[in-house]
Amino acid sequence: MAESKIIQSINPATLAVNAEFEPASPGDMKTFVEASREAQKAWARTPIRRRLEHLLKVNRFMLSNVDDIARVITIDNGKTLLEAVNTEILPVLDTLNFCDSDLLRATSDEKLSNPIFPVARIESSNIYEPLGVIGIISPWNFPFAIPMSQIIVALALGNGVVLKPSEFTPLVGDMIKRIFDEAGLPEGLFIVAQGLGTELGDPLVEAHPDKIVFTGSVPVGRHLMTKAAEQVIPIVLELGGKDPFIVLEDADVERASSAAVWGAFVNAGQVCASVERVYVHESLVEHFTEVVIEKTQRLRLGDGTNPDVDMGPMINERRIALVEAHIGDAVAKGAAVRTGGKRASPGGLPGHFFEPTVLTGVNHTMDCINEETFGPTLPIMPFSNTAEAIDLANDSKYGLLSSVWSRSTKNAREVARRIEAGTVIINDCLFTYGFSQCPWGGVKNSGTGRTHSVHGIREFVNIKNITVSKSPLREDLWWYPYSKSKFNGMKAGMQALYCEGLRCRAGGILDALRSFNLLGNK
Ligand code: NAD
């Protein structure tokens, strides 16, 4: 029984077992949260500059070990070495840099103003303090960049962290632990709990961390939100996407087609912000489709550790089966597979390979358009005018990223404003995840809350307001005892502060002074 619970890291290209890990037990989660909370008390009092010094050791370590880190990511997840560098390591280095440059500014005390404050001699400010312990649950598709960027910001702001990495990429989870060991953090502050989400997820929430940051699928996100509600714990949800890619009539087809191919097949299409639906103006669709097919057929499938490979394997059999189901559903309803569409074994490799697939003749009754495929498919659909393209793009339960293509940035911006999404990228796709200043998150089923950016920083702090009264009066005007004159005074005060005309305001001031007996007569 104990054996079946061992967590294995399996290379998705070769199916070789990389390593095995002893999972945490559900009962450990309470111990982990408590240990992190204990260590966090002193960490929160450590000046932010000193906390950042620890984290800059992570920066140095990463820069000196890029090859090793990339290799671990590739053999655990399957993506190519170049993708491990570009889409996993680089965003983490950018997060460290962002913390160093922007964290202090985003969390410095903030003085507030209000027209009443000077009159009533009030000083009010917001301070930003750590929340406590953050429970982070993360997926396998970006097993390094996603948890690392969240952990770094959480720790820099003075929190403790308990991380539950995906059971499909435990080798990267273990590497994250080892990287933070290098940072010399206080014992217990940051803990990695390896194991199945179905076993450790609920106990982690029940251990009552101060916030949960979950990145993963909609059903699990929904479940965790309910669990968090029972404990009244706030939760950030970074969930799935079905991102539209709109090619307007005046788009640069050469560039847009290359972007669509990359955006659909990077990480074998296993990206929350993958290009999953392509809408092309009817005047361009034929040419665009031909170029996309040609570029797709040039992609080299294989083991991601070979630097000359463009696309690695998928993570596991379950994911391949879903891609096949979506293609099968589309074909049954009249779609055409223009290239790809089947499993592959490049160089005789036994892993989870699937050919990059282009579909046409698709429509909004098909799963490949309505549901997250999370695999290497690129369905193309024509539209006849911009309003129709916007309606098609918004006809989805998801709203993570979007991409709009046009030679007129002005027109593209107009379209961008009307798309329901957390991010719209004009004349490119996907890449804003790599820039820590850009907020990351979605609307509708794509989740709630933000990571990255100043808005993401604020997810990890308690915004505490401190207000000081320096009133010389013995009693505030709104305290007891109540009277008719106070009632009239408050009404007049409202006129004085909020009435639109100057005369009305002046009248309000006089009436208020009279009512509160501040003019010396009754
Ligand atoms: P998943 O929901 O199956 O798993 C995510 C994490 O949750 C894993 O650590 C898993 O162990 C854990 N988990 C699973 N069941 C659980 C349960 N019952 N209770 C608590 N935790 C549980 O998702 P996945 O397959 O790892 O990742 C793919 C999904 O993640 C896709 O839908 C993708 O779009 C989404 N995703 C979103 C973003 C984003 O930024 N919005 C980024 C990456 C991935």
Side-chain angles (χ1 to χ4, degrees):
M1 190 175 95
E3 258 173 46
S4 69
K5 291 176 104 186
I6 291 288
I7 301 296
Q8 286 189 323
S9 160
I10 296 172
N11 184 329
T14 63
L15 303 188
V17 176
N18 297 311
E20 296 189 329
F21 297 91
E22 193 67 44
S25 76
D28 289 336
M29 304 315 278
K30 194 162 188 295
T31 316
F32 291 166
V33 170
E34 279 169 6
S36 184
R37 196 181 297 294
E38 198 48 42
Q40 185 266 338
K41 287 178 192 154
W43 182 246
R45 290 193 300 272
T46 306
I48 193 161
R49 273 275 146 226
R50 287 257 306 282
R51 296 199 298 253
L52 287 171
E53 277 166 25
H54 284 270
L55 296 173
L56 288 175
K57 290 184 195 164
V58 171
N59 192 64
R60 271 173 239 132
F61 179 85
M62 283 179 56
L63 281 172
S64 321
N65 292 279
V66 169
D67 291 307
D68 291 345
I69 296 172
R71 193 180 157 75
V72 169
I73 294 169
T74 295
I75 64 171
D76 206 22
N77 162 281
K79 68 183 61 182
T80 65
L81 286 174
L82 185 63
E83 288 173 5
V85 169
N86 287 349
T87 69
E88 298 264 18
I89 299 176
L90 195 137
V92 178
L93 292 171
D94 198 67
T95 304
L96 285 157
N97 183 57
F98 176 60
C99 286
D100 201 31
S101 60
D102 287 47
L103 208 70
L104 268 175
R105 196 157 14 110
T107 53
S108 297
D109 296 0
E110 183 189 6
K111 199 163 176 247
L112 307 178
S113 65
N114 182 290
I116 297 181
F117 290 171
V119 181
R121 313 241 339 243
I122 288 169
E123 288 173 7
S124 187
S125 53
N126 289 338
I127 65 163
Y128 299 94
E129 55 185 25
L131 277 176
V133 177
I134 313 293
I136 296 179
I137 302 179
S138 54
W140 49 265
N141 67 328
F142 288 91
F144 190 68
I146 289 175
M148 282 294 283
S149 56
Q150 296 166 355
I151 296 161
I152 287 164
V153 175
L155 290 175
L157 290 164
N159 299 288
V161 173
V162 176
L163 166 70
K164 212 299 285 168
S166 170
E167 56 270 41
F168 297 112
T169 46
L171 197 62
V172 175
D174 185 62
M175 178 171 68
I176 291 174
K177 180 192 169 305
R178 286 186 287 112
I179 287 178
F180 281 103
D181 286 347
E182 294 288 324
L185 296 173
E187 181 79 24
L189 183 71
F190 170 62
I191 295 175
V192 178
Q194 299 267 18
L196 300 181
T198 42
E199 287 185 10
L200 302 184
D202 286 5
L204 176 56
V205 182
E206 283 155 12
H208 216 289
D210 298 279
K211 190 157 197 167
I212 297 285
V213 178
F214 172 76
T215 310
S217 61
V218 174
V220 177
R222 189 179 288 125
H223 167 77
L224 285 172
M225 196 175 204
T226 311
K227 289 298 294 179
E230 283 166 11
Q231 310 281 323
V232 197
I233 298 173
I235 184 163
V236 171
L237 296 176
E238 297 282 7
L239 308 178
K242 190 76 195 172
D243 296 353
F245 183 104
I246 303 173
V247 183
L248 297 175
E249 198 173 2
D250 63 346
D252 174 346
V253 170
E254 194 48 47
R255 183 173 158 80
S257 55
S258 294
V261 170
W262 180 76
F265 302 133
V266 60
N267 201 17
Q270 304 165 115
V271 183
C272 54
S274 272
V275 172
E276 290 228 356
R277 298 179 283 150
V278 180
Y279 301 107
V280 187
H281 190 268
E282 59 191 8
S283 64
L284 304 177
V285 73
E286 207 172 308
H287 177 49
F288 180 91
T289 305
E290 270 169 28
V291 184
V292 159
I293 291 171
E294 187 199 313
K295 289 176 180 175
T296 301
Q297 286 171 342
R298 287 210 296 261
L299 296 180
R300 294 156 302 172
L301 212 58
D303 184 335
T305 55
N306 175 352
D308 291 324
V309 153
D310 297 309
M311 196 179 110
M314 298 190 70
I315 189 77
N316 55 33
E317 169 58 33
R318 197 180 131 232
R319 287 289 164 187
I320 291 205
L322 184 69
V323 174
E324 284 180 328
H326 280 197
I327 294 173
D329 171 75
V331 170
K333 290 174 180 162
V337 175
R338 302 291 296 273
T339 186
K342 23 180 224 310
R343 293 171 189 240
S345 51
L349 285 166
H352 307 294
F353 292 95
F354 198 88
E355 293 173 348
T357 301
V358 177
L359 297 166
T360 55
V362 295
N363 62 48
H364 280 229
T365 67
M366 299 175 181
D367 289 345
C368 71
I369 293 290
N370 292 324
E371 306 295 331
E372 188 178 40
T373 307
F374 218 58
T377 59
L378 198 167
I380 304 175
M381 215 180 131
F383 64 84
S384 52
N385 60 61
T386 304
E388 186 194 356
I390 293 168
D391 286 347
L392 289 167
N394 290 341
D395 179 23
S396 172
K397 56 192 168 195
Y398 293 104
L400 191 56
L401 258 71
S402 256
S403 182
V404 179
W405 291 79
S406 168
R407 284 196 169 86
S408 159
T409 311
K410 184 170 170 286
N411 286 350
R413 279 184 188 278
E414 295 285 315
V415 174
R417 284 183 182 279
R418 293 169 60 193
I419 303 279
E420 296 160 2
T423 298
V424 181
I425 304 181
I426 294 170
N427 293 336
D428 214 316
C429 60
L430 233 132
F431 73 96
T432 55
Y433 187 84
F435 296 97
S436 307
Q437 281 77 7
C438 302
W440 187 263
V443 296
K444 304 197 256 185
N445 275 9
S446 291
T448 171
R450 291 291 180 271
T451 52
H452 294 196
S453 80
V454 169
H455 307 282
I457 286 176
R458 301 247 163 101
E459 296 280 3
F460 291 104
V461 287
N462 173 31
I463 304 171
K464 184 188 275 179
N465 177 260
I466 298 183
T467 295
V468 183
S469 169
K470 295 189 169 173
S471 170
L473 302 176
R474 284 176 63 193
E475 290 167 356
D476 280 340
L477 299 174
W478 52 87
W479 292 358
Y480 297 128
Y482 294 165
S483 66
K484 176 93 178 147
S485 61
K486 270 193 186 172
F487 177 80
N488 289 335
M490 290 309 285
K491 263 196 341 187
M494 286 180 204
Q495 296 287 335
L497 285 165
Y498 304 117
C499 183
E500 280 174 41
L502 267 181
R503 269 179 81 124
C504 160
R505 283 197 177 199
I509 293 170
L510 269 176
D511 285 350
L513 292 172
R514 259 189 225 111
S515 302
F516 286 120
N517 203 15
L518 296 173
L519 286 180
N521 57 345
K522 286 205 169 178

